Structure formats: C-alpha cells, structure tokens
Amino acid sequence: MEPSNKINFSRRSFLKTSALASGGMLIGFNLFNACKQDVKMPVDLSTLNYNDFNAFIKISPEGKVTIFAPNPEIGQGVKTSMPMLIAEELDVLWDDVYVVQAPLDTENYTRQLAGGSQSLRLAWEPLRQTGATAKQMLVNAAAAKWGVNASECKAKQGVITNANGETLGYGDVVLEAAQLEVPENVTLKKPEDFTIIGQGTANVDIDEIITGKPLFGLDYKEEGMLYASVLRPPAFGQVLDTFDASEAKAMPGVVDVITIGDKAKAYLESEKPNWTAQLSKSKKVVVLAKTTWDAFKGKKAIRATWKEESALESTEFHNEKLNEILEGSKFNTRRKDGDVKKAFAQADKVLERTYEAPFLPHNTLEPMNFFADVNDEKVRLVGPVQTPEDAAKTVAALLGRNIEDITVEMTRMGGGFGRRLYGDFVYEAAEISDKIKKPIKMVSSREDDMTTGVYRPSTKYKIAASIKNGKVTGYHLKEACINGNMYGLIPNFFPAAAIENYQVDTANYKSNITTGAWRAPYTNFLASAEQSFFDELAEELGVDRVQLHMDLLENVKNNPDPKIEYSPDRLQGVLKLVVEKANWGKTAEGTYQGLAVYYCHNTHVAEVADIEMNNGVPTVKKVTCAVDCGIVVNPLGALNQIKGGVLDGIGHAMYSDFVFDNGVPQSNNFNSYQLIRMGQTPKVDVHFVKNNIAPTGLGEPTLPPVGGAVANAIYKATGQRLTKQPYMNNLQAKKVVG
Amino acid sequence: MPTFNLKINNKTHTVNADMDTPLLWVLRDHLNLVGTKFGCGIGQCGACSVHVDGNVMRSCLIQVSQAEGMQITTIEGLSENGTHPVQEAWKAIDVPQCGYCQAGQIMTASAFLAQNPNPSESEIRNAMHGNICRCASYNSIEEAVKVAADKMS
Ligand code: FES
Ligand code: FES
C-alpha cells in the first residue's frame, strides 16, 4: 500500500451546528484547522462569519443542502469537486445540493486556502469527515425520535430508515440534529461505495457561464464607480519623469487624471513587504473615466517621459548572464549523492546538453482588474485574486489602515496560472480609490496585462550524464534562472535516487523584471529538458527509451530514499499504461512518437506525442496521457484539466516567445504573442491508473512533461534535437527523415 | 457626445458615446450586457464575439457609429434560458474551465452551425480557430460543436 498523504486534522473541534431561525440546520466548520472553543454559530444566514468558520453547510427543512464553497474558482473545478466530497459522505443526491461561493464581505475576512493542485489533496479527509459527521448527527436525531438505537438506522440519499422500515427525511430531523453533541467517531465510506465521487459532475457555474451572467471580476460594477486605467513605465528599469495630461483631461469621458505610487514605493521600501507585492516603485499616471473605453483612450493621450532608474535589460543580456552562471562555479548544491566528479572522470562517455526557455507572461484571458472602494470607514475590495488574506494585510499596511476595516470579496477568475497569486493590481486599485475616496475599478488592457506582468522567469539547464560499461553512472543538473530557483522537493524528483552519483546545483541572476509562479513553477520547463535529455541518453546507450526508465526506476525501488516523494511503482505504472494505450513503437508510417514520464504536484504522468510532418512543419496529432492521481473525484473536471494542461504545455513549448529589448517587452498582444489555437491542437487521449489512493491534484502535473514528448517526436521526424523553446522558432531541419 | 440607436437582442437601446467607442464597451459599460467579454481589444481572441445580422463578428472592432441599423445578438439574447442547442451541448460536455472565453466560443459556434449544420471535422476546426481559449479547452469545444451539429441537423 502506498502511503496516503496524511493531514493533521483534529475532528474534535472542527465543526459546530446551530438551528437556523428561518428553519433548518447550519453546520459551520473549519477546513485544515480547528475552530476556537468559544465561537458561536449564527442562527441567521445574514450573520455568517467566516472569521469563525471558513465554510458552512445548510440543510433546509425540505432536505435541500446548500454548501458555501470555500474556494475561489480559477478554472480548476475545485468549486465543484470539493462540495462533492461533502455530499458523498453526507449521502444526499447531488441534484439536491446547491453550491454557493462563500460571500466574503464580512469583517476581518481571513481565510486562506491552499490554491492550485493542492486543494483537493488537502481537503480529501476533512471534507469527507465533515459530511460524515453531519450525517451521523441526522441519524442520531432520527433514532432519538423513534426511540431506537442509532446503529439500527441507515441513511441513504437524504433518507434515514430504521429496522422497522420507517423513514424520515434529513429535513424532518434538522432541528433536533442541530441541538445534538457533535459525535467524535464517524466512519467514512469505502471507495467502492462512493456514489458521487467518481461520477462526472458538471461545473456548478455552468448555467451562468453559458448564458453570459456576470460572474467575473471584470463584470463587477457598483453605482457611481469610475473606471481607472493606469499608465506604467514601458520598460523595466524606468520610472516616471514628467507627464502632460492636458489632452486627456479635455476628453469628454475623462473625469480626472491623478498619480499614484508614493504609497506603493514606501511600502516596498518598508521592512518586510508581502511576497504578493510585485509592484514597480515608479509613480504611475491614472486616468479616471466613466467607461473603460474612455479610460483607455484617455491613457493613450497622456504624454509622459521616463527616466532610467536601473539597468534596462535585454534578452541577449540575460542569455549571457545565464551562460556565465552555467560556466561558472558559484552554485547552491541542492542534492548530492555519491561523487559526480569522479563518475564523470571515470566515464566511457559523457553526454552534456543545455536547454533554454524564455520568459512567459500568464495571459489569463480575463486581464487583471480589481474593484476598490476606500472611504473613512471601510476599505472594500472585490475581484479575482487567489491570495485574499495577503491582499487584505498588504492593503492595510499600504494605506495605514486597520485590518478590521478591510474586506476582500472574490469573484470567479478568468484564468489564473499563477498570475493572480500576486496582488499588484489590488494594491494599485486600493491606492487609486484611497486618493480620490470614490469607488473605482482598475482595468488593464491586454497590452498593460502582457507588458507589466509577473513572468515565468527565463531559465537554462545544463544536464550531463556519465556512461560506464553501458550504464548511467552519474547525473549532474545545473539550473541558471532569473531571480529564483527550483524550490521544495524538486531536487529530489526523478532521477534522484535512481543514479548513484547525482547532483543538482542552482544559481540565479537578479533582474529588475518581475517574475513569479507560472503554472507548474520550474517543472514546467525542467521536465521538458530532462525528458529530452533521457531520450538522447537512451539513444547513446543503445537501449529502448522505455526500458531505460523502467530500469532506473527499478534502482529506486532497490534503494529506498526517505527524501523522495515520487513512487517508482506508480511511475512505472503510468509508463506501462501509456506504452500500451499509445501503441508505442507500432505507429503507421509518417507518424512519429515521443515519450515523457514525470512526477510533480503529487501526481504521476506519462505521455506519448504522435506527430506528423506537413511541408516540413510538425503537427501534433495525438497525445496519449496516462495519469495516476489516485481516486478521480470528478472525471469530467479531471479530463478538462488534464487535457487543458497538455494543450497548454504544447502551446507554450512550441509557439510562445517573450523577448525583452532594453527593458521593453517585445510582444504586447495576441498579434505579437502566439497562444495555441484549435487548429494546432491534437486530440488528447486520457487513461487513468485505477486505485484507491487519496486523490492528488490535476491543475498542473500534465503540463510539464509534454514539451519533452513533443521534442522527442520531432527528433524522430527530423533528426533535430530541440533544446530551446519555443521549438518552432528553433526548428531548422525542414526535411523529413526516417 | 452623440446619440446612437442600437438594436440588440430584439430591443432598441439609445446610448450616448464617442463615435469611436467599440460596440464591446457599449455593451459592457453602457448597457450592462457583460456576457460579451474583453480579451484583447484588437480582434485576435474572439472573446467579444457577437452576431451581426446572423454573422459572427468581433464587437471590439465595430465602432458604435457603424452599429446603427445592425441586428445585434449577444450571448444574453442567444436563447431564452440557455436552451440553444449549442448552449445545451456546452453543458452536456461540460466545456468550460475558467469559462471566460466561452460566451465568445458559443457565439462563434452558433453562427457557424446556422450556416453549416453538417460540418466536417476540419470545417469545425477552421471555424473555431479564431477563438482563443487560454485554458485550452479545445478538445471539449470541438466535441461540443459536433454534439450541437448532430442535434441541429
Ligand atoms: S476582445 Fe475582441 S477579439 Fe479579443
Ligand atoms: S475556459 Fe478559460 S479561457 Fe477558455
């Protein structure tokens, strides 16, 4: 049995109940932490306080269940899958369940839930416990009413039945149940008894999305609100020098032109600015107008001059810096097994390759925007941000306000990919509204969004492996990156523990270009690099690619290592599955296959890309994807994320480039920056490894390896080893070989 | 500012706006029809797609002054209660991820299928090529267009 990811969770004090004044039972609970002993449950929905509990379930006298979902939706389906966990153990019909995004305009709002791929993994136990506990209380209440033993009663699909065949609906006993003690020991269902988990369940917001209802930050409006467009420095390294707003001010739709930035600068220079404050220290010119278009137009009419405050860097310069790092000796060693130097010295052969990837903007389709209403009493913030608690704290510090004055309300998000972890747009909105003491909505144009981003940093990997007597004896990976380096357990990912002499070194160059997390940080390119390297290594060894991986994973099984969190068995499992489902090595003429296998974000994935060449241009026709993410909670949502991750990975590996010239991004909209479109997309054929292991996330893990699979397939078709992304800019060979 | 009379979703609306204001912003900011989305503003992403006299067009590229006399349909007016076969197919396949591009995708697909109710796979892929889905829900979009086509033909 594989270890499941245990989360410390005290059931004793995570949940409380009350009877609602309007009828029904309210269950308040805290996900991931216990509630305070003295907290009171509301008796009225209008007084829900998310400071005491971070989520609530309401069961009405009619037996309908409303779940106040505690996680904002960024496109990963957690708003659907997390309530499924509660509903499963509560044992109700999914059709009787309503999911409401928890309203957040409460005082002192503080709840920060794990984002991204981790949400479901962390919620797996606590949410099921919550549902099971509530169900037990309902059963206990029914048993008391009948005067029978609770153990003689069964509950299923919202109905409790006793040994005599009498029945009571959940709604019939909610008032009594709300008065009972919270039971300490409840039994969770066995996976084979699941009726909701494992069923394809549509996105809970589907009806609103397909009819165009206001859901997103950009759709949020209030009476009297002004639209704000912000003119920021065009180059990283520049700050505002002078500006002339006379033309803009004369425009009929423009209400005012102001500057902001003093507060942001002071905050950034304070002792410990919050990590989400990825802001320029420059003053910025803000056009306030009656409509978004008036604000955009007004901004274009501002004449501004800029001065250089720090170096204006170009892509060529970054290239040189990263190369210098790779050639140098100043590294931080992140894992070291054996002695790579010795292994290389004694090798029959050493294979060494360098892989390169550019900066990437996130380009969420909904551009950055935020609503702020700052007045003497309150600071209200509404919009799409993934880190509301950091946002509230930072705005409090930025504006010198008490945290109690601040509320953050989250809307649905038009994509995240890591961008909305950073709150720069929240802080700008707050500073603008603070200055004019009116409600405003800061809206970025696409150009603003793309050129003042928090980018995936440009990265290079130098990978070397030593071969002795037909075996891989050493592996040395060096990472040179802008601003940051791989974090956490990444240095312990495969092939750590598979090769006797193994070392991972990292170093970075500090740039003034803002960088941050981008879907599957670091691994998004590391996996492509390593998976290309293994392909070449297998060729060098003269062994089958699949066999090389199987053998290396066998080594891991023979040398258990407490620091590795990937499972060699599960990696072998997805590899076997993908080989079978993709017909690996048995394709028709004119189809070329490439393979990659990877573990990240707690999920094991193997992928085979099938490509064809058309006039010297590779087209990815199909990607077969084998996934081991434990129990699949919502297959519909899971497939969406898996396929999306694969296609997103192909798009960025093949097409997307982002170059700087003297600090200025050279792409600013979708005519100069290429995102993958339908005509370039293959069919993604997904296969799950079936097991009963606790679920792991899917928002990220399928993206990283696919670049490697594509590069390996292109090699088979063209004979060219692609080491630099985006591949299509670096593909020279136009001839089809083999 | 000049006044314009626009026919949107079978209703006439009067708006005051600069003549170069894109229809997109008239819909969103003046008329509160926010289902039509802003993605790029330069005709590249398709998030702002609407129907003009039955053809799909990018509302970010139509100036309000040109829009007078046009029969404009937005996602809000595509059907009563989301029952257009394309919307139903979108629901059956559970297409959306973040959902932001989907109104534009649905408007493109519905105009396309009205003109070509029996499309081939490559016709579908061509018709939908202009609409970016940053979440890359392309496989599901393609499947949903096929499902809708089966229903409509
Ligand atoms: S907003 Fe009109 S095409 Fe992108
Ligand atoms: S669903 Fe997010 S952009 Fe298409």
Side-chain angles (χ1 to χ4, degrees):
Chain A
M1 178 76 192
E2 294 288 329
S4 73
N5 297 293
K6 273 266 171 283
I7 294 113
N8 288 330
F9 178 69
S10 150
R11 201 171 339 128
R12 259 191 97 78
S13 54
F14 76 104
L15 182 153
K16 285 200 172 190
T17 61
S18 66
L20 284 171
S22 56
M25 173 190 193
L26 188 69
I27 301 153
F29 60 101
N30 276 323
L31 192 53
F32 312 134
N33 53 24
C35 68
K36 291 180 236 104
Q37 288 309 317
D38 56 348
V39 298
K40 288 217 168 51
M41 280 291 293
V43 292
D44 180 341
L45 281 183
S46 66
T47 57
L48 286 190
N49 184 348
Y50 288 85
N51 205 24
D52 290 338
F53 298 97
N54 54 26
F56 292 91
I57 305 168
K58 181 194 146 193
I59 307 173
S60 76
E62 292 77 40
K64 304 275 185 220
V65 178
T66 307
I67 295 172
F68 295 91
N71 237 20
E73 183 62 276
I74 54 172
Q76 302 188 325
V78 284
K79 195 171 162 187
T80 307
S81 53
M82 292 178 60
M84 286 173 73
L85 304 183
I86 298 175
E88 177 70 63
E89 293 291 345
L90 184 56
D91 217 323
V92 287
L93 290 171
W94 182 249
D95 284 346
D96 287 338
V97 177
Y98 301 88
V99 180
V100 178
Q101 169 89 54
L104 305 170
D105 49 339
T106 55
E107 289 212 345
N108 197 7
Y109 165 64
T110 52
R111 61 138 201 209
Q112 163 99 65
L113 297 181
S117 294
Q118 302 301 317
S119 297
L120 200 56
R121 183 174 73 87
L122 297 176
W124 174 244
E125 286 266 322
L127 282 184
R128 287 188 306 138
Q129 298 269 16
T130 303
T133 306
K135 171 171 147 181
Q136 190 59 52
M137 292 175 82
L138 291 160
V139 169
N140 291 352
K145 224 175 187 173
W146 283 318
V148 302
N149 207 316
S151 62
E152 292 163 21
C153 304
K154 287 207 166 42
K156 209 174 168 51
Q157 301 190 335
V159 179
I160 306 155
T161 313
N162 67 19
N164 305 327
E166 292 172 288
T167 60
L168 280 169
Y170 283 1
D172 303 330
V173 292
V174 279
L175 288 178
E176 292 84 349
Q179 317 295 338
L180 296 178
E181 285 281 304
V182 175
E184 275 184 37
N185 291 311
V186 294
T187 343
L188 295 179
K189 285 185 180 176
K190 293 201 193 70
E192 50 271 30
D193 298 329
F194 289 157
T195 57
I196 294 175
I197 293 170
Q199 299 302 310
T201 305
N203 191 320
V204 292
D205 285 335
I206 185 82
D207 290 320
E208 282 83 7
I209 291 170
I210 61 173
T211 51
K213 295 279 168 345
L215 278 176
F216 299 92
L218 205 69
D219 305 339
Y220 186 82
K221 287 183 188 180
E222 286 193 14
E223 236 355 81
M225 169 187 103
L226 293 174
Y227 292 87
S229 176
V230 182
L231 182 66
R232 306 177 184 92
F236 286 88
Q238 281 179 337
V239 294
L240 182 69
D241 191 8
T242 64
F243 75 99
D244 173 3
S246 47
E247 197 186 320
K249 280 187 174 163
M251 293 174 144
V254 171
V255 176
D256 202 357
V257 178
I258 62 165
T259 60
I260 57 159
D262 292 340
K263 295 210 163 164
K265 184 164 193 268
Y267 176 71
L268 289 169
E269 285 166 359
S270 69
E271 217 161 285
K272 260 205 185 136
N274 186 281
W275 64 277
T276 63
Q278 294 290 338
L279 281 160
S280 151
K281 282 188 194 168
S282 173
K283 262 196 207 299
K284 295 153 198 169
V285 186
V286 182
V287 176
L288 293 150
K290 288 185 204 131
T291 68
T292 314
W293 177 249
D294 290 322
F296 283 178
K297 231 172 104 171
K299 188 179 74 167
K300 284 207 184 104
I302 304 279
R303 306 278 161 257
T305 60
W306 310 91
K307 58 185 181 205
E308 194 174 324
E309 187 216 40
S310 56
L312 306 182
E313 298 175 355
S314 298
T315 293
E316 258 168 61
F317 171 81
H318 293 137
N319 264 327
E320 280 165 29
K321 284 288 160 200
L322 296 181
N323 286 341
E324 269 171 35
I325 289 176
L326 289 179
E327 296 314 318
S329 55
K330 282 203 201 96
F331 285 100
N332 190 353
T333 296
R334 308 289 295 277
R335 177 169 170 136
K336 189 172 191 271
D337 301 343
D339 185 342
V340 283
K341 255 205 189 127
K342 205 161 134 201
F344 283 88
Q346 295 172 349
D348 298 334
K349 176 151 189 148
V350 172
L351 180 70
E352 182 184 282
R353 291 289 176 263
T354 302
Y355 299 87
E356 315 171 43
F359 287 90
L360 290 179
H362 299 82
N363 280 327
T364 60
L365 201 56
E366 176 193 21
M368 295 307 113
N369 66 86
F370 226 79
F371 170 89
D373 183 8
V374 180
N375 56 44
D376 291 340
E377 281 89 58
K378 267 176 151 280
V379 175
R380 280 191 314 117
L381 304 163
V382 185
V385 68
Q386 271 173 274
T387 46
E389 191 181 352
D390 293 279
K393 280 191 204 143
T394 305
V395 169
L398 185 79
L399 304 184
R401 303 284 298 242
N402 289 327
I403 187 87
E404 292 77 32
D405 296 348
I406 301 182
T407 62
V408 183
E409 188 170 339
M410 281 181 285
T411 57
R412 193 177 173 92
M413 308 183 196
F417 315 112
R419 179 63 181 89
R420 293 188 219 271
L421 294 169
Y422 306 97
D424 44 310
F425 45 92
V426 186
Y427 311 139
E428 285 180 350
E431 202 179 337
I432 296 166
S433 180
D434 181 58
K435 192 138 190 186
I436 63 166
K437 295 289 185 300
K438 282 194 184 112
I440 63 103
K441 168 86 148 290
M442 194 290 288
V443 182
S444 284
S445 65
R446 174 57 54 194
E447 290 80 2
D448 297 333
D449 189 275
M450 207 183 291
T451 59
T452 58
V454 183
Y455 306 102
R456 189 273 300 264
S458 178
T459 309
K460 293 193 188 208
Y461 290 105
K462 186 179 226 173
I463 313 178
S466 55
I467 300 169
K468 176 93 184 162
N469 299 330
K471 289 259 174 296
V472 187
T473 54
Y475 187 87
H476 192 179
L477 178 109
K478 294 179 186 174
E479 177 183 82
C481 186
I482 304 289
N483 292 342
N485 283 115
M486 62 169 78
Y487 61 94
L489 284 172
I490 298 176
N492 298 305
F493 284 6
F494 183 83
I499 299 166
E500 204 184 330
N501 304 293
Y502 173 90
Q503 188 165 330
V504 174
D505 292 332
T506 61
N508 63 54
Y509 168 76
K510 291 272 183 250
S511 165
N512 55 15
I513 294 169
T514 42
T515 57
W518 192 101
R519 195 175 192 176
Y522 297 99
T523 58
N524 58 43
F525 177 55
L526 174 61
S528 282
E530 288 192 302
Q531 291 301 310
S532 303
F533 186 80
F534 276 109
D535 207 64
E536 201 167 345
L537 191 58
E539 188 178 51
E540 205 61 59
L541 288 161
V543 296
D544 174 64
R545 171 68 204 277
V546 176
Q547 200 53 51
L548 172 66
H549 250 89
M550 285 302 214
D551 292 349
L552 288 171
L553 288 164
E554 222 39 54
N555 294 349
V556 184
K557 288 198 229 170
N558 298 330
N559 302 303
D561 177 338
K563 279 206 295 279
I564 64 159
E565 55 170 14
Y566 71 86
S567 152
D569 285 301
R570 292 174 83 178
L571 273 180
Q572 286 183 331
V574 287
L575 193 51
K576 278 186 211 148
L577 185 61
V578 89
V579 161
E580 176 203 328
K581 299 292 180 189
N583 275 321
W584 173 250
K586 294 184 215 121
T587 49
E589 213 185 303
T591 300
Y592 304 90
Q593 288 188 315
L595 176 126
V597 52
Y598 203 65
Y599 163 89
C600 64
H601 298 273
N602 305 94
T603 296
H604 301 74
V605 174
E607 292 167 343
V608 168
D610 289 14
I611 71 157
E612 282 173 20
M613 297 296 289
N614 298 308
N615 301 320
V617 179
T619 316
V620 187
K621 296 304 267 188
K622 186 173 133 192
V623 174
T624 310
C625 187
V627 180
D628 183 349
C629 58
I631 291 169
V632 183
V633 174
N634 180 7
L636 267 183
L639 285 175
N640 273 342
Q641 288 195 55
I642 289 169
K643 293 179 180 184
V646 168
L647 299 181
D648 189 9
I650 293 175
H652 285 94
M654 289 182 80
Y655 306 111
S656 305
D657 202 3
F658 202 70
V659 170
F660 289 87
D661 186 16
N662 282 310
V664 182
Q666 298 301 292
S667 308
N668 67 4
N669 205 325
F670 300 134
N671 53 353
S672 50
Y673 183 91
Q674 205 185 340
L675 281 171
I676 194 165
R677 290 171 182 273
M678 187 176 281
Q680 296 154 326
T681 57
K683 297 271 174 318
V684 186
D685 183 24
V686 182
H687 302 272
F688 292 102
V689 171
K690 292 198 177 57
N691 58 35
N692 282 336
I693 304 173
T696 54
L698 287 168
E700 284 150 322
T702 63
L703 182 146
V706 77
V710 168
N712 296 338
I714 293 178
Y715 168 71
K716 284 215 190 120
T718 66
Q720 190 185 347
R721 287 278 178 200
L722 290 164
T723 55
K724 188 172 177 186
Q725 293 186 353
Y727 296 140
M728 294 307 285
N729 288 8
N730 297 289
L731 184 72
Q732 276 127 32
K734 292 265 187 261
K735 246 186 27 219
V736 182
V737 300
Chain B
M1 278 191 226
T3 301
F4 301 96
N5 292 314
L6 304 179
K7 231 172 153 209
I8 301 163
N9 301 334
N10 291 324
K11 260 200 229 137
T12 305
H13 298 266
T14 307
V15 292
N16 286 312
D18 261 355
M19 20 198 299
D20 65 350
T21 309
L23 176 62
L24 166 67
W25 295 113
V26 171
L27 294 171
R28 292 188 56 84
D29 292 353
H30 294 253
L31 300 173
N32 215 11
L33 292 166
V34 295
T36 305
K37 295 296 190 249
F38 166 58
C40 68
I42 59 163
Q44 287 284 328
C45 73
C48 66
S49 299
V50 296
H51 295 176
V52 172
D53 303 324
N55 297 312
V56 69
M57 287 184 80
R58 313 244 144 140
S59 64
C60 69
L61 297 182
I62 303 171
Q63 295 189 352
V64 64
S65 54
Q66 307 166 311
E68 275 194 317
M70 292 175 170
Q71 286 274 2
I72 297 157
T73 307
T74 69
I75 184 78
E76 290 91 346
L78 184 64
S79 68
E80 296 251 329
N81 310 321
T83 49
H84 187 283
V86 171
Q87 286 167 313
E88 282 177 345
W90 245 247
K91 191 170 172 173
I93 303 294
D94 193 33
V95 176
Q97 288 188 47
C98 84
Y100 193 78
C101 72
Q102 301 296 347
Q105 306 277 3
I106 289 170
M107 294 312 280
T108 303
S110 53
F112 164 65
L113 290 177
Q115 275 151 21
N116 184 355
N118 260 315
S120 68
E121 187 178 305
S122 68
E123 283 171 335
I124 294 174
R125 287 169 71 90
N126 279 336
M128 302 307 296
H129 192 73
N131 285 67
I132 290 174
C133 175
R134 174 64 184 88
C135 303
S137 64
Y138 296 115
N139 274 199
S140 303
I141 293 170
E142 198 176 333
E143 204 181 325
V145 176
K146 274 182 208 153
V147 168
D150 285 346
K151 263 196 219 166
M152 285 166 80
S153 60

